[in-house]
Amino acid sequence: MNYQILDFKLEDHIGIITISRPTALNALNKRFFSEMDWLISSLKTREDVSALIITGEGKAFAAGADITEMADMSPKEGTWFALTGQKVFESLEALPFPVIAAINGFALGGGCELALACDIRIASDKAKLGQPEVNLGLLPGYGATQRLSRLIGLGNALNLLFTAEIIDANEALRIGLVQKVTTAEDLMPEALKMANTIKSKGRKAIRMVKIVTRKGLDMNLEDGCNLEAQKFGSLFATPEMKEGTKAFLEKRKPEWPK
Ligand code: CO8
């Protein structure tokens, strides 16, 4: 595909997607979703990717769905576009490796929902986050009514959704919407450091942690723990587990099998 909005590079097993439509504050338009869909499809079976970072160019991570495109939609089109975006964010969430949102600036509406579909969020101290859809007479359409409360609890989620309040990075950290705050200069180095930390662990174990933790959210505790036990057991068949335990016992760093 000829990418016009997304810039993608893969270096040393770490992918970086940069949303690059800065004149519209990286607003998420139809083109963004088709490029993202294509890129995710090409990444989901790659065994050589350890982690993926998503960030934005300029002063926004993404300032929401493209309001220009939305303004004249019919109810049917609105539903269709919400479902299309949700499908893309679901496939992002389902990528087998960890995905880190490096939130460089505005992450509003659909932009905040994109960050919510990532596994971990790091924000620069310039970031502003919120779900301002009710200002437009809308509600979120790309999953915030579901993912936000799962991440930060019902009270915090409804507070943001009802008031459309735009919060800064430190408030986002306080309520658990982001996991780390850095200076603007340190944002990408910190995201890369986190990705490299992940890369240094057992690759299959990391992928299993993601599957079990995410699936467990939609299960009762007993079923979730049972799934954990099954996947835990399955890792005993891997050369990685043999090497990880052997390295510990030999007091050295593991040399993960390729
Ligand atoms: N869509 C389209 N264009 C946008 C968007 C957007 N979401 N946000 C900013 N832009 C454009 C502006 O129109 C402007 O364009 P131009 O230069 O041509 O006039 C350019 O980006 C720069 O923006 P501003 O001049 O407004 O920059 P400021 O620094 O003054 O303000 C703000 C920055 C506060 C972020 C402001 O731009 C703003 O409020 N943006 C809209 C934020 C918003 O409401 N986001 C939520 C959108 S709704 C949504 O995401 C619903 C998701 C579900 C959709 C379901 C499918 C249909």
Side-chain angles (χ1 to χ4, degrees), residues 23-25 27 59 63-68 70 73 78 81-82 106 108-110 113 132-133 136 141-142:
T23 50
L25 301 188
K59 66 176 185 179
D66 191 317
I67 298 171
T68 319
M70 275 191 319
M73 281 179 192
F81 278 105
F106 292 112
L108 304 177
E113 291 171 298
E133 285 88 345
L136 303 168
Y142 297 144

Side-chain angles (χ1 to χ4, degrees), residues 175-196:
I175 62 175
L177 180 50
V178 302
Q179 283 61 64
K180 203 166 257 192
V181 176
T182 70
T183 61
E185 304 75 57
D186 286 343
L187 180 67
M188 284 312 285
E190 188 61 38
L192 281 164
K193 189 172 150 204
M194 190 177 276
N196 275 300

Side-chain angles (χ1 to χ4, degrees), residues 58-106:
K59 66 176 185 179
F61 178 71
D66 191 317
I67 298 171
T68 319
E69 279 187 354
M70 275 191 319
D72 296 324
M73 281 179 192
S74 66
K76 209 170 161 184
E77 285 171 316
T79 305
W80 192 83
F81 278 105
L83 288 172
T84 305
Q86 285 177 7
K87 198 171 130 279
V88 174
F89 285 179
E90 276 161 25
S91 53
L92 174 68
E93 195 173 60
L95 279 171
F97 40 78
V99 181
I100 300 165
I103 305 170
N104 50 302
F106 292 112

